[in-house]
Amino acid sequence: MTLTAYPAPVRRPETSRPRVSHAPYRQEPYVRCSLETLAVDGKAVAWTRSEVLVHWIDDDGRAHNRWVPASAVVRIPRDDSAWRDPYDDFEFYYPSRQAAGTAVR
C-alpha cells in the first residue's frame, strides 16, 4: 500500500484581520456597555478599532464574553462598576491607597 501526501493548501484571508489589543492580565479597564437588549458593566479584555470584547459575570454566576461595537462601550472607574472582578490587581486600581498604607522602615 502506498500513501501519497499532498501539502494542504495555504489559506490566506482576502482582507487582513484587525489588530487586537489587550491590557495586562487583571488590569483590564472597566467599561459600561449599552446596546438595545444589553446593559452591563464589565471589563474590556480585548479590543480593535471597531469592537470591544467585554467580559462580565451575571447574577447567576455565569461568565460572559461578547464582542460589541466600540461605539456602545464607555470606560468607567472601577468604583462606578456594578460588577467587580474579585481577582483584580488591587494595587493597579488604587495606587495611592497602597502608598498611603506603606510604612517607612
Side-chain angles (χ1 to χ4, degrees):
M1 175 194 264
T2 304
L3 296 176
T4 305
Y6 297 98
V10 177
R11 293 184 181 179
R12 291 195 174 99
E14 292 180 16
T15 60
S16 62
R17 293 181 178 165
R19 179 178 165 89
V20 177
S21 299
H22 300 265
Y25 184 62
R26 299 296 178 206
Q27 297 179 1
E28 300 91 349
Y30 277 85
V31 295
R32 182 161 291 142
C33 173
S34 300
L35 293 174
E36 295 171 7
T37 60
L38 177 68
V40 298
D41 289 353
K43 291 179 109 176
V45 295
W47 54 88
T48 68
R49 288 182 179 262
S50 60
E51 294 181 301
V52 178
L53 178 60
V54 179
H55 167 79
W56 75 96
I57 297 177
D58 66 18
D59 293 338
D60 296 327
R62 289 179 290 193
H64 298 271
N65 293 288
R66 186 174 297 176
W67 283 101
V68 297
S71 60
V73 178
V74 176
R75 188 171 180 166
I76 60 173
R78 182 180 191 268
D79 290 339
D80 291 350
S81 179
W83 171 77
R84 293 190 190 134
D85 188 343
Y87 300 105
D88 279 342
D89 179 349
F90 191 78
E91 293 176 26
F92 171 77
Y93 291 99
Y94 305 106
S96 61
R97 291 184 187 179
Q98 179 64 22
T102 305
V104 177
R105 295 180 185 197

